[in-house]
Amino acid sequence: MDHGLIGEHLPHSFSKEIHEKLGYYGYELCEVSRDDLHRFMTQRDFRGINVTIPYKEAVIPYLHEISDRAKKIGAVNTVVNKNGVLYGDNTDYGGMTALILKSGIEIKGKKVLILGTGGTAKTARAVISDLGAASVITVSRTKSDTAISYGEAVSLHLDADVILNATPVGMFPLTDAAPISLDGFNNLLGVIDVIYNPLNTRLMLDARERGIKAENGLYMLVAQAILAAEIFTGKKLSAEITNRIYRDILQKKQNIVLVGMPGSGKSTVGKTLAAELSMPFVDTDELIVKKAGMEITEIFSRFGEEYFRDLESEVIKEAGLLNGTVISTGGGAVLRRKNVNELKKNGKIFFLDRPVSELIPTDDRPLADKKEKIEALYGVRYPIYCAAADITVGVSETPENTADAIKRFL
Ligand code: NAP
């Protein structure tokens, strides 16, 4: 192997994509079982590797040299093979620092709760202490000399300024979970979640709903990879490279979600946008028809609106976890707040704001088949669309122009 990543399970890793974008070397994802780690590390059949769960500590005995930074943290995520001599370093520290600085969440003089006691929590502790936090408190499921329990966190530390999640809780596929409730944390300025799949975890969405800044772990992932690439190649790489690759990956992973009134042009604009950006397109109404095996008018007439909305929620939950897809939704998709949260997990929501006078009734939309029905719906739903949307876009005369307006926000 030239360069690559070793870990026990690597099904969702973005590392290959990030390293290969640099164009300096090939990069393989290499699953190594616990029984095979000894053979892999003693054969040294690689030029450079990154190391992930669960081997960041286990590789240390095989190394001939180790950086002071990696020694201090007690974990190695980058190993270079220099003619048989293995040198280990830790770029998670630099990646975590870059993430916190990018988030704009102030650490100096603040009280920070770190959730979890694994390798990432240890890195976070080192970074946050070095950034001048007033106090850093580790929270664990198991209380110890160095960590408090979650019960103590919510009874003794509701005045925390920042919460950093360094546990896997909320990660795909169990995206409904949050490691802690934010109720009562009335001082909270920011939440940092090291998870990047989904892009917006339940914890982050809870924070934003309370007006609290929240940042995911994608920037850390990219920044630590670029720092590892510097070690592999001996070249200094600019912050602009990190930012460019971060934006590329974000765009590839982020869905573009279109919401708005029936007849506002979501499907047409969505298809146009998908074609122009070479992204897949899905329409949640079409997914419902496929799932139910009947048209929407028939679902309404045979089973009623509530049944339709339940099907819609099921379909939206699945669609929300797609990546890099243009998703057109039904007019009522945002009526349930839980649907909005599902769509936000990986998506940016655009409200296509078309004046009510331009919305045309059609027979295939049971709730919008008459002008009066459209006007009544519009009055009720307009504030709901505005509240659900990250961005409101006025609908132009052509789908191309509306698609262009959306692209300007990406
Ligand atoms: P880890 O060693 O497995 O540690 C995770 C810690 O989380 C554990 O020590 C545990 O602490 C806690 N935890 C585990 N399962 C939990 C559960 N069901 N409920 C509550 N707490 C739980 O993992 P890690 O290497 O530190 O990684 C942690 C997370 O960071 C992962 O999601 C990983 O994908 C992510 N990560 C992101 C980046 C990035 O670049 N953005 C880099 C590295 C890792 P207690 O037992 O003490 O509660």
Side-chain angles (χ1 to χ4, degrees), residues 5-15 29-34 51-55 171 196:
L5 172 69
I6 65 159
E8 194 174 26
H9 303 292
L10 307 170
H12 302 293
S13 175
F14 296 175
S15 295
L29 299 179
C30 181
E31 289 191 349
V32 175
S33 68
R34 286 169 199 252
V51 182
T52 190
I53 301 170
Y55 303 131
M171 191 164 80
Y196 47 82

Side-chain angles (χ1 to χ4, degrees), residues 53 56 92 116-121 139-142 150 166-169 171 194-196 217-218 220-221 224:
I53 301 170
K56 288 185 187 183
D92 283 339
T117 55
T120 311
V139 185
S140 169
R141 291 170 299 176
T142 319
Y150 281 85
T167 78
V169 181
M171 191 164 80
V194 293
I195 292 171
Y196 47 82
L218 185 61
M220 173 177 171
L221 182 77
Q224 63 77 25

